[in-house]
Amino acid sequence: MAEALPPRIISRDDSLKRQVGRSTLDTLLQMGFPKQRCLKALAATGDRGVQLASDWLLSHVNDPRLDEDVAREYILYLCPVGPLQKQLASYWERSQSMCGWNSAHNYFPHMTLCSFFKVEDRKLGVLTKAMESVEGFLNKAPGRLQLELFAQKSFIGLMAVGNYYDFLEGLVSQFASYVRSAGISMEGLKKSLHITLAHQHTSEAHQKLEKLAGEIDLKADVRWDFRLYSRDPQLANAEVYRVIKPYQPTLEDELEMIEGDYIFMTPGQSSMDGWFKGTSWLTGNMGVYPAVFTQRTAETWIWTLHRSHPLSEASKAITNGAAAIDGEGDYDNLWATDDLYAKVVKKKKSQEAASTTTDRKPRHVFVMRHGERCDFVFSRNWCDKCFDGRGVYTRTNLNLPRVMVKRKNYKDFQRDSPLTEMGRCQARLTGEALRDAGVDIAFVYVSPALRCVQTATEVIRGGGYRCKLHVEPTIFEWAGWYKPTLPSWLSPDELVENGFPVDPSYTPFISTRNINPNESVEEYYNRCASFTRHVHRKHTPEGGNILIVGHAGSLDACFRQLCGKAPRNSAEFHEILSHFPYCCLATVTEDPHTKRWLLKEPPIASVCHGGNKVFCWKVLQ
């Protein structure tokens, strides 16, 4: 019979109360931001968490419209993802290069499902629930969406044909019914379903554009995503320009230009000297700027993506709110969405930049694979040999953990394996080598897999580092190996209870529920690359080296795009994994002058050892 719990005297000390389930809005309010500003920041960033919203607020402190209560404009799109989308993006670039700008270039490839509708910032949660309400409907998609090329005098596009209209009408109707119940006015599905390839172009360009459109393979593989976007009303019919060269203002009315920022302005402005009046998307500041430092781009790059769900059988959401997608024609890269809003200008940014000296030390990012794991040494059924029916652990080999981590269900170890004792030793030796080489580690990010948390713990103990571990689901390995569901990981609080030096207050870049088990290898690369860029920018002000402890694939996925290379295809990815032994360490270094990242030789040697067979004493008989 289980022992009864002793009676507890209830403490009246309010400081001991745990704050459970606090919303992002509550956290921002506690930080001291006014409620209207908090709501505006959450809507502008797609409600992606405290860090992004607070960054947005800090960057917009001088925005003259910051305290205006103006409803944002929302719209539903059906967007292609995959090979067809890449062909469409290529068409966009080639058509602009060959025939100049036309109105189709103001948007990325999409199919408009409804007209813009306005929603007050305080009702943002209604839209989130409306998107959740249609998830079941998305599973009823009637096969492949067929497209047909259509051209007339001033329009070229791909028209939807077949029986998809009724399905999409029902989908939009269900969404609209939900938001109307909350007092939001919204129309139903548009009558014409199409992707605009060219519109309002010159008659001289029509034949070239039609021929170019005919080269698109309409049978190419594609996944269609049902997406909710929003935009600031200021962007309606605005001309948007991307900053391609930074500029520091010299006069009071000039606008500071940050590379990668966007500037929007009223169309049709004239200028005699090449200076135009515009508004910075990153800061909300207005001023005049030199047009020669900008390049015309699509308005949709600075919209906000709130939710995206794929149309397919047994589909699931693949993102939980994100900013509009950055990249040249790569808007399906959902893991890179934070790249835009992460470029917000922090307070005193220009002063920090001015204080940068020529003798600044280069920064390093290290990515390390975890140590030896139990299931790879003792087979995947090792749990059945080490745990009895009550979950009591028995150590049957000296290389098994001396003390097993405590968790609710021991069967979770089968998909979330711990390290062997040899694995802990490998990690500790690596930490000691980093210490002996004089390598300082300021920040540590770790995959939620138990073997990675244990590896990072041994590294910082062996190296004598005092930094806490930030558990980051974004750097978990390729989710395709874990279909249909990801492993059950120990929570940060549970890891702390087991003695791991984890920071339980850390908010992940991407939460566990937003990792798609059906992701492609390319989406995995984008996920890891986006996080690496994020932590690099996050810690730029204070500097310091960063250690990421992940999996074999992490060494390539976290660095490859940072160093200017494209993601590997599936075959290349699986082939290169065999080259990454336990506790191997990869290093990239930032050039303090050019800001470019280069792959460098690691500062320490590798750890390797021979195999050791299981000893059977009976051979001596």
Side-chain angles (χ1 to χ4, degrees), residues 215-234:
E215 298 174 4
I216 299 173
D217 178 12
L218 301 183
K219 295 182 179 180
D221 288 341
V222 63
R223 184 190 77 215
W224 294 94
D225 283 2
F226 179 66
R227 296 182 179 177
L228 173 67
Y229 285 95
S230 75
R231 70 178 181 185
D232 188 309
Q234 288 186 100

Side-chain angles (χ1 to χ4, degrees), residues 223-367:
R223 184 190 77 215
W224 294 94
D225 283 2
F226 179 66
R227 296 182 179 177
L228 173 67
Y229 285 95
S230 75
R231 70 178 181 185
D232 188 309
Q234 288 186 100
L235 291 174
N237 302 315
E239 289 184 2
V240 178
Y241 294 81
R242 184 183 179 94
V243 177
I244 58 177
K245 185 177 180 181
Y247 174 77
Q248 285 292 329
T250 58
L251 298 177
E252 192 172 307
D253 64 339
E254 293 177 358
L255 182 67
E256 179 183 6
M257 300 174 67
I258 303 150
E259 188 173 0
D261 187 10
Y262 295 85
I263 297 174
F264 55 93
M265 66 177 194
T266 304
Q269 287 190 1
S270 60
S271 171
M272 297 294 293
D273 56 2
W275 289 73
F276 293 84
K277 184 178 181 180
T279 302
S280 164
W281 173 73
L282 284 175
T283 65
N285 297 337
M286 294 181 287
V288 295
Y289 67 94
V292 69
F293 289 175
T294 65
Q295 186 177 61
R296 181 79 183 269
T297 190
E299 173 193 331
T300 41
W301 294 137
I302 54 177
W303 289 7
T304 298
L305 173 61
H306 291 262
R307 292 293 186 277
S308 180
H309 300 293
L311 267 61
S312 64
E313 296 182 0
S315 62
K316 291 187 178 181
I318 60 175
T319 185
N320 179 26
I325 310 306
D326 189 17
E328 297 300 325
D330 188 22
Y331 74 92
D332 60 327
N333 177 8
L334 293 181
W335 302 106
T337 56
D338 202 30
D339 290 349
L340 290 180
Y341 283 111
K343 292 176 181 174
V344 291
V345 187
K346 305 292 185 187
K347 206 170 184 179
K348 301 180 181 179
K349 178 181 177 71
S350 57
Q351 291 90 330
E352 292 170 356
S355 66
T356 301
T357 59
T358 56
D359 60 347
R360 176 187 167 192
K361 294 182 179 180
R363 297 174 62 208
H364 307 284
V365 178
F366 304 101
V367 175

